[in-house]
Amino acid sequence: MAGPVPFLDLKATYRELGPALEEAFRRVMVSGHYIMGPELAAFEEEFARYCGVDHCVGTGNGLDAIALILRAMGIGPGDEVIVPSNTFIATWLAVSQVGAVPVPIPPDQFHNLDPDRVESAVTPRTRAIIAVHLYGQTARMSELRSIAERHHLRLIEDAAQAHGATCNGQRAGSLGDAAAFSFYPGKNLGAYGDGGAVTTGDANLARQVRRLGNYGSDRKYEHVERGVNSRLDELQAALLRVRLGSLDDWTARRRVVAARYLSGLKNLPLSLPATAPECEPVWHLFVIESESRDALAAHLQSEQIQTLVHYPIPAALQGAYSEFRQHPVASGQVAERHRRLLSLPIGPHLPPEAVDRVIAGVREHFRR
Ligand SMILES: *Cc1c(COP(=O)(O)O)cnc(C)c1O
């Protein structure tokens, strides 16, 4: 394959599903119903069923989904919430938004919350654990569940990168007390704008989240608490219903890409992503670790292959969290490992020839 290899081809989803997406668009346009109508109700039911839970509540985005879960659980000022050190900043921001304090834990070999290091971080103020299923692989949820039960903590999933991933055969979204999803366009199940959802088996929690995200109201113009406006609109819900129908197929294609990388990149001085035995990842990202990360990225760029780093600056080193500058996760081995991360192109529409070009580019870098 000649020409550039983009990190992710977002337009490809429209090329593949155009007519069905346009039909959904037209259905909403002519209905005159644009907020909290039948498309949202149908999507919520379909996505809850997909995740294997009874309840789904659409939200405006993934960050709000996490914050609404925390608020609905009554977590706020004075509380601590255990979070991974390496995650998209939204996980931390949601904790800060409700007035609680994030307590970061370094990742395990799978880039996820390390159950072996969680327990020693629990204090009398700890209220919850947010397990992020980073890069599309669930955290080791059975171990985290035992820790949560032992210390009476709530277990929340940040499943923004893991639509359809499983742990012991159960899908992300059904592995904790509640889960937050994002439908940001680049996610495995993406909308055409912002969107998010909360899934849970807890009817009461679902009701609270729905109320908080709808101005604190169950009935129009009656406001029992000071909520926010964070809803998934009809248009995005209708488009997401179309995309949901292809999710498993697209996940299967991501797995083909990942398998090709895993066999093509063997025996090189780099670390390939490891999969925990109980997990079936959905490969939101394919992240390798290399001592020569920057040189490798530059070489691939010279071959017109786009790579990214997730995430270039860890939350603890961001200006927004300057109080964490001296925290152990901001330096030493944790920070060093962070500087080795590199995400290779992956997606359901990445052709095998492009994957082979990436593999050849990486091998070439290490030959020189
Ligand atoms: C994308 C993402 C979010 C935030 O989702 P938005 O819809 O962009 O607000 C939260 N957590 C993780 C891990 C993410 O990747």
Side-chain angles (χ1 to χ4, degrees):
M1 195 190 113
V5 179
F7 185 75
L8 175 67
D9 180 7
L10 275 179
K11 287 184 299 221
T13 67
Y14 182 64
R15 278 203 299 277
E16 182 172 327
L17 298 175
L21 291 167
E22 274 164 28
E23 148 57 26
F25 170 82
R26 212 165 288 127
R27 199 167 65 230
V28 174
M29 286 299 124
V30 300
S31 75
H33 215 146
Y34 307 119
I35 295 279
M36 296 208 296
E39 298 290 341
L40 176 64
F43 173 72
E44 287 177 341
E45 213 221 288
E46 289 159 12
F47 194 60
R49 196 180 325 129
Y50 181 83
C51 295
V53 290
D54 285 342
H55 309 280
C56 170
V57 181
T59 63
N61 54 65
L63 168 60
D64 286 357
I66 309 169
L68 288 168
I69 291 170
L70 292 167
R71 257 192 91 176
M73 287 176 170
I75 294 168
D79 295 332
E80 291 176 0
V81 177
I82 290 173
V83 297
S85 63
N86 185 22
T87 177
F88 180 58
I89 191 125
T91 317
W92 289 43
L93 288 176
V95 174
S96 303
Q97 200 185 100
V98 301
V101 174
V103 176
I105 305 286
D108 61 10
Q109 60 172 305
F110 311 106
H111 302 288
N112 275 324
L113 203 53
D114 188 345
D116 297 335
R117 294 195 246 200
V118 166
E119 204 149 20
S120 58
V122 174
T123 76
R125 290 168 180 264
T126 313
R127 295 283 314 280
I129 300 170
I130 304 184
V132 180
H133 305 322
L134 203 68
Y135 307 150
Q137 173 167 221
T138 69
R140 290 183 277 158
M141 294 302 285
S142 25
E143 283 156 275
L144 293 172
R145 161 61 64 203
S146 314
I147 296 167
E149 276 169 6
R150 211 156 39 238
H151 297 277
H152 308 287
L153 308 175
R154 309 305 297 270
L155 181 57
I156 299 166
E157 297 171 75
D158 178 341
Q161 303 188 0
H163 318 72
T166 64
C167 181
N168 291 313
Q170 280 185 294
R171 281 208 168 122
S174 70
L175 303 169
D177 295 312
F181 285 90
S182 164
F183 305 124
Y184 179 79
K187 310 290 186 184
N188 288 30
L189 178 60
Y192 297 86
D194 276 313
V198 171
T199 58
T200 178
D202 180 341
N204 201 36
L205 191 74
R207 201 171 315 115
Q208 300 261 54
V209 167
R210 190 179 298 284
R211 178 194 293 157
L212 283 167
N214 186 33
Y215 301 108
S217 166
D218 298 316
R219 283 206 290 173
K220 203 159 183 164
Y221 303 130
E222 283 181 31
H223 305 274
V224 292
E225 56 191 324
R226 297 172 193 171
V228 297
N229 174 4
S230 183
R231 304 176 297 208
L232 182 64
D233 66 65
E234 285 291 283
L235 191 53
Q236 298 303 340
L239 299 170
L240 282 165
R241 291 179 69 195
V242 175
R243 288 279 296 262
L244 183 57
S246 296
L247 180 57
D248 285 344
D249 179 29
W250 290 7
T251 296
R253 293 195 230 160
R254 285 177 182 272
R255 287 180 175 148
V256 170
V257 174
R260 209 172 176 93
Y261 277 143
L262 288 171
S263 68
L265 295 175
K266 272 197 204 128
N267 306 320
L268 289 172
L270 55 77
S271 303
L272 291 167
T275 301
E278 67 268 40
C279 297
E280 265 194 301
V282 293
W283 300 103
H284 175 60
L285 296 171
F286 189 95
V287 178
I288 61 171
E289 294 173 58
S290 164
E291 295 291 345
S292 61
R293 188 265 309 270
D294 293 334
L296 173 58
H299 172 69
L300 292 174
Q301 189 58 52
S302 75
E303 309 245 306
Q304 295 191 292
I305 295 165
Q306 188 191 6
T307 59
L308 293 174
V309 173
H310 297 90
Y311 291 90
I313 306 172
L317 287 170
Q318 297 282 357
Y321 286 102
S322 50
E323 70 271 34
F324 284 88
R325 227 18 76 90
Q326 305 305 323
H327 193 283
V329 300
S331 59
Q333 283 181 358
V334 183
E336 267 163 45
R337 183 178 180 204
H338 206 92
R339 283 193 286 275
R340 295 199 294 263
L341 304 177
L342 186 68
S343 306
L344 301 181
I346 194 165
H349 301 91
L350 191 69
E353 310 81 70
V355 180
D356 289 344
R357 258 193 62 197
V358 179
I359 291 169
V362 174
R363 300 204 79 94
E364 162 75 16
H365 165 77
F366 287 108
R367 230 180 346 255
R368 289 183 317 163

